[in-house]
Amino acid sequence: PSIVNIFEAGTWRGEPYYVMKLVRGESLEKKLSSPDLTSRLALLPSITAVVDAVAYAHGAKVIHRDLKPENILVGEFGESVVIDWGLAKQFGARRSDPVLDDTARSEETVAGSVMGTPSYMPPEQARGEQVDARADVYSLGAILYVLLSGHRPYADSSPAQIVTAVIAGPPAQLPADAPPDLATIVGKAMARDASARYANAKELADDLKRFQTGQLVASHRYSARQLVVRWVRRHRAEVAVGSAALVVLAVTGVLGLRQILDEKQRATGAQVQAEEQRAEAEKLLNFMLGDLKEQLAPIGKVALLEKVATQAETYFDGPRAVAGDQHIRMRAMLFVGDVLVAKGNTPRALAKFQAAERIARTHLLLRPADRDWRRDAAEAIARLGSARWQQGDLLAAIAAIREQASLLSGLANEDPSDLLDRALAACHSVLGVMLSERGDTAGALAEFRAGLAVSELVIARASADSQSLRDHARLRLKIGMLLGLLGDHDGALIELRGAVAIMKNVVAAEPEAQEYRRDLGAMRAELAEGLGAKGDEAGAIEEHRAALELFRLLAKREPDQPVYQAAVASALTDVARHVKNRSNADALPYVREARAIRDRLVALDPTNASWQAEKLTSAQNMSMLLLDLDLPVEALVESRTALEIGKALVARDETNLHRQMNLEHCYAAHGAILEALGKRDEALAAHRAGLAIAEKVVAAIPTHVGMQTELADRQASIAELLWSTDRAAAETAYRAAIAVYQRLATAEPTNPEWPKIVDHLTRALAGT
């Protein structure tokens, strides 16, 4: 992904040509021009992606030979692309390929000459000698040198003078404020002797990643004191919030949290000193389970705290824990649950959340006026409710979130604060989604708007930081989605465009916050749906592709995060829907990839109802695509899979109208496939089963346009199947379908589709 792609090559009118991917962004050179070290260090993840790309090239026996900031483009969302491979060389290549033959001849032609950009080339390249992968390593080190120093390794002058300087000796020393372990990496990469460098870009990439995640850098030596002190004094000013947080994790990983907490056991002084040491240890733990978690969540790194949280849980369950530890113990339980959710293990997470809730409720009974325990109880109850929601128990989840809202409202009324208001706004948002799933659109819209009002209050109090703006955008997104379902497409677009605009600014301000990018991708996908509903197909495709690109980047960066994989699958499904309008065959790879991802997710956690529902969607999409490709037998296998999942999900929670709708869609697809196979009676039964569900949902949500059309479509399908055997029943079904579409045409007179469908059904009723 970080190497510019060639899509096609050939000849046109006798001249050779090739087509490359259009890469958007600006050069790394421009981004490195900032005089502020902290701003430049924030670009380290982008440079690490470049080193990974070069490592891939080295694995394919290709060296670039002209790596420099000008040949690296950094996109809007931090993605990096290495360009300008004009001096690249494939070493060890066979001479049977005419392209490689040209490369080999080119190499022979320039033997003894200097190729590349002098400021970034190693001494051996400056001398015109043969080079290998270690030359690229030097150039990457020189780019890191610019990152740390703010200027090129050698002063700007004529190319000949720079070449002379490169051959003569090393560049000036790095500034004193450069992180020592990163400076050590640069020193090894830019070693004068090629044999003293990293052997290839892969080794350099590994050391950079160790630095970014706070592990011990292989090329640096640490004192015992450094291992403990370095996280306290230096991190927040070094590699942005995310990397700083990861360094803290590394320290606790190296020393072990229990080793820190057991400091009092090693104390040889007075009891007072031992207690002071233990207090400091618990202060560190509080930081890790509080502030550090808040820093890790936006960048998608919560799962990295698994070891810390587990050690904390073990400690507080042990004999040395005292009553005063219960706050930290409850938070440790919540954190273990969060980590398990991030890793896709909902059943185990549920048990941890239940344990945390028991602690919170016990102390709330003992101290009903204690604000800290009321706030903790609200948090524990909400986590447990969300886990039950994932397990399919929607009613229990709604009850939990309502209780959380009650606790938060009481706290906010007593003493308003931004933190409480943000939590309350989030509570309204979650409750709105849950009510929407039950079919209570009016209640859902009221909750979303209540949350938006609280969010606006926070922003009005000059608290427009990234998190509060993100919360605001997400509420506007949900309002837009709901308005779209209710047929107010103009109102929906206003909210969706507003949400995307806000989130773009948030991502620009926090380029390394993975969760913010994920939100932007979700918002662009929903904006695509809004544009599609208004007939802007080109705009819809553009937004869906942008969302897919965002999610692919996140999944590549965090391959162990199931939530990003799920987002990729959803985006693939969206793109496939639009590609299908042009070519069924072109859509098939997207659908297959989405299905494969969802199969893996369900295998990871079979109890996760959300992933089961997404697998249902993939199987259903695959069935209809195979039917369109005239493969009804294969399509039937997929439709049966979707139907089985749909029935199981509804059986788990019959109050969830969203799942009822999904099951109705399954019956519709299954009936169409059975019709194609000539199984008329089975097809009729499937359509009737779908009709029964559609009638139930429309009775609960009379304003739901999508389900009204599904109801009418089932009537029309039944009428068509009955036409030759039961004309009276067929005519009744046709009239029922026509009546639905006539009501829709009256309610939305600007929609040209409704009159067309009415005309089509009327002619079918007349036998024409």
Side-chain angles (χ1 to χ4, degrees):
S2 295
I3 297 176
V4 63
N5 304 125
I6 294 179
F7 291 142
E8 186 178 354
T11 57
W12 184 70
R13 295 183 179 177
E15 295 294 327
Y17 75 89
Y18 60 88
V19 182
M20 301 182 76
K21 178 181 180 180
L22 175 62
V23 181
R24 303 183 186 277
E26 58 183 351
S27 73
L28 180 63
E29 181 185 37
K30 182 176 179 181
K31 288 185 170 289
L32 285 173
S33 63
S34 170
D36 179 55
L37 175 61
T38 302
S39 298
R40 295 197 305 273
L41 281 167
L43 295 167
L44 184 59
S46 297
I47 296 176
T48 304
V50 169
V51 180
D52 276 334
V54 177
Y56 175 84
H58 289 174
K61 297 189 180 299
V62 172
I63 55 177
H64 190 284
R65 297 198 294 183
D66 194 21
L67 291 166
K68 54 186 177 182
E70 298 95 310
N71 285 344
I72 297 164
L73 295 183
V74 181
E76 181 183 0
F77 306 109
E79 64 275 20
S80 304
V81 181
V82 183
I83 62 171
D84 198 354
W85 293 75
L87 294 182
K89 167 190 172 185
Q90 183 163 6
F91 52 93
R94 299 170 65 180
R95 295 296 184 90
S96 59
D97 189 313
V99 176
L100 300 183
D101 287 346
D102 288 345
T103 304
R105 284 194 296 273
S106 172
E107 177 193 337
E108 292 164 2
T109 302
V110 299
S113 64
V114 177
M115 301 173 63
T117 302
S119 289
Y120 297 94
M121 65 173 55
E124 66 271 21
Q125 191 171 351
R127 292 191 293 265
E129 300 171 3
Q130 292 284 346
V131 297
D132 57 20
R134 293 170 296 183
D136 281 351
V137 168
Y138 181 97
S139 299
L140 292 167
I143 294 170
L144 290 166
Y145 180 98
V146 179
L147 179 84
L148 295 180
S149 68
H151 57 76
R152 294 185 176 195
Y154 294 90
D156 289 338
S157 56
S158 71
Q161 289 173 324
I162 296 175
V163 168
T164 301
V166 171
I167 295 172
Q173 288 189 345
L174 289 166
D177 59 349
D181 25 13
L182 187 54
T184 302
I185 293 174
V186 175
K188 181 171 181 177
M190 295 184 70
R192 306 286 296 168
D193 183 355
S195 64
R197 297 176 206 148
Y198 297 98
N200 50 49
K202 173 70 166 59
E203 290 187 5
L204 172 58
D206 290 344
D207 237 2
L208 282 175
K209 289 169 186 174
R210 277 190 284 269
F211 170 74
Q212 284 184 271
T213 56
Q215 300 176 54
L216 300 184
V217 171
S219 57
H220 191 74
R221 294 292 175 265
Y222 302 87
S223 69
R225 184 173 182 275
Q226 281 179 311
L227 293 176
V228 180
V229 175
R230 63 199 288 258
W231 75 272
V232 181
R233 298 188 177 174
R234 297 201 325 261
H235 305 317
R236 292 184 185 237
E238 289 185 6
V239 194
V241 173
S243 295
L246 299 185
V247 175
V248 180
L249 283 180
V251 176
T252 59
V254 171
L255 299 180
L257 183 60
R258 176 175 290 190
Q259 183 180 355
I260 295 172
L261 286 169
D262 284 350
E263 189 66 37
K264 70 173 183 178
Q265 301 298 324
R266 298 190 297 276
T268 57
Q271 179 66 23
V272 173
Q273 180 184 2
E275 289 302 324
E276 287 177 354
Q277 290 172 325
R278 186 177 186 281
E280 286 300 310
E282 290 186 357
K283 184 178 179 181
L284 169 61
L285 179 59
N286 266 310
F287 166 71
M288 287 187 292
L289 298 184
D291 292 348
L292 181 55
K293 173 196 166 186
E294 296 305 316
Q295 294 175 13
L296 290 176
I299 61 171
K301 296 284 188 181
V302 170
L304 289 174
L305 276 176
E306 181 175 19
K307 181 178 179 181
V308 173
T310 302
Q311 288 178 330
E313 180 189 11
T314 302
Y315 174 80
F316 289 112
D317 281 341
R320 290 183 300 278
V322 296
D325 294 331
Q326 291 305 300
H327 258 113
I328 306 177
R329 180 171 181 265
M330 189 214 71
R331 292 173 61 198
M333 291 286 187
L334 288 178
F335 208 83
V336 174
D338 288 342
V339 170
L340 291 167
V341 168
K343 295 176 77 68
N345 193 337
T346 312
R348 282 190 61 206
L350 188 65
K352 301 302 176 186
F353 293 145
Q354 285 173 327
E357 187 212 25
R358 282 195 296 271
I359 296 171
R361 286 193 185 279
T362 299
H363 286 271
L364 189 60
L365 286 171
L366 295 172
R367 304 176 184 87
D370 189 308
R371 287 180 60 82
D372 288 339
W373 277 113
R374 286 158 70 192
R375 187 166 48 246
D376 287 344
E379 186 177 358
I381 290 165
R383 292 285 222 302
L384 183 57
S386 294
R388 291 196 186 283
W389 187 15
Q390 282 199 333
Q391 292 280 288
D393 191 349
L394 183 56
L395 286 177
I398 290 174
I401 303 304
R402 287 197 190 281
E403 185 176 1
Q404 180 202 17
S406 175
L407 286 166
L408 291 175
S409 295
L411 288 166
N413 289 335
E414 292 170 12
D415 185 11
S417 74
D418 283 351
L419 287 176
L420 279 172
D421 282 341
R422 288 175 184 176
L424 185 57
C427 185
H428 283 301
S429 177
V430 172
L431 190 53
V433 174
M434 291 178 175
L435 292 173
S436 178
E437 283 201 8
R438 287 210 71 200
D440 183 1
T441 50
L445 195 56
E447 291 293 340
F448 292 147
R449 286 181 168 150
L452 191 66
V454 176
S455 173
E456 287 170 347
L457 211 74
V458 172
I459 293 172
R461 290 200 294 253
S463 302
D465 59 6
S466 295
Q467 184 60 48
S468 59
L469 289 171
R470 175 207 194 191
D471 294 342
H472 191 75
R474 292 172 80 172
L475 282 159
R476 291 194 67 177
L477 168 76
K478 288 165 184 172
I479 291 172
M481 292 168 63
L482 207 53
L483 290 174
L485 286 174
L486 295 172
D488 182 3
H489 301 303
D490 291 328
L493 274 179
I494 291 171
E495 297 298 333
L496 295 171
R497 284 184 170 129
V500 169
I502 293 170
M503 210 61 214
K504 280 184 177 179
N505 290 332
V506 171
V507 169
E510 305 275 358
E512 292 307 310
Q514 311 287 56
E515 289 299 291
Y516 294 169
R517 292 189 187 203
R518 177 188 167 202
D519 283 347
L520 178 58
M523 290 174 190
R524 297 194 76 162
E526 290 300 334
L527 176 57
E529 293 301 304
L531 291 168
K534 290 290 290 181
D536 184 359
E537 185 70 12
I541 291 175
E542 181 181 354
E543 291 297 328
H544 274 314
R545 288 194 182 280
L548 177 58
E549 188 172 343
L550 265 171
F551 293 141
R552 282 199 188 281
L553 183 63
L554 289 170
K556 175 179 177 288
R557 289 186 174 186
E558 306 293 339
D560 61 337
Q561 295 284 339
V563 67
Y564 297 143
Q565 300 291 336
V568 170
S570 295
L572 286 164
T573 302
D574 291 334
V575 173
R577 270 192 294 113
H578 291 281
V579 173
K580 185 177 182 293
N581 294 334
R582 299 196 302 265
S583 165
N584 291 319
D586 288 346
L588 193 57
Y590 292 102
V591 176
R592 286 194 192 282
E593 186 181 354
R595 172 67 189 278
I597 292 171
R598 285 164 171 168
D599 283 349
R600 290 196 298 271
L601 291 173
V602 168
L604 183 66
D605 182 4
T607 68
N608 190 311
S610 298
W611 292 350
Q612 289 280 6
E614 288 174 0
K615 180 177 178 179
L616 177 154
T617 300
S618 283
Q620 185 183 341
N621 290 340
M622 182 75 79
S623 70
M624 296 311 294
L625 194 55
L626 291 169
L627 180 62
D628 289 340
L629 290 168
D630 200 23
L631 297 169
V633 176
E634 292 86 342
L636 188 62
V637 174
E638 294 293 333
S639 73
R640 281 176 175 155
T641 298
L643 202 55
E644 288 170 5
I645 298 171
K647 289 177 180 178
L649 288 172
V650 167
R652 287 169 67 173
D653 184 2
E654 294 186 357
T655 67
N656 190 322
L657 292 182
H658 185 71
R659 292 183 189 168
Q660 297 275 3
M661 295 180 205
N662 285 341
L663 182 56
E664 187 278 331
H665 296 327
C666 291
Y667 275 118
H670 196 58
I673 294 167
L674 290 167
E675 284 183 60
L677 289 168
K679 299 183 178 185
R680 177 183 167 282
D681 291 341
E682 291 180 51
L684 191 58
H687 286 305
R688 281 175 169 158
L691 176 63
I693 295 172
E695 288 173 339
K696 176 181 176 181
V697 175
V698 168
I701 324 174
T703 57
H704 197 297
V705 175
M707 284 312 296
Q708 289 186 62
T709 60
E710 285 293 319
L711 186 150
D713 287 347
R714 296 292 66 70
Q715 293 278 21
S717 297
I718 291 169
E720 186 177 346
L721 285 167
L722 291 174
W723 189 257
S724 60
T725 58
D726 190 343
R727 182 67 60 91
E731 289 177 353
T732 300
Y734 269 133
R735 288 191 182 96
I738 292 169
V740 172
Y741 279 112
Q742 284 176 333
R743 286 196 298 272
L744 291 172
T746 302
E748 196 177 357
T750 60
N751 190 328
E753 293 303 313
W754 305 142
K756 291 179 184 177
I757 298 173
V758 169
D759 179 64
H760 171 75
L761 293 175
T762 302
R763 285 189 283 108
L765 177 60
T768 60

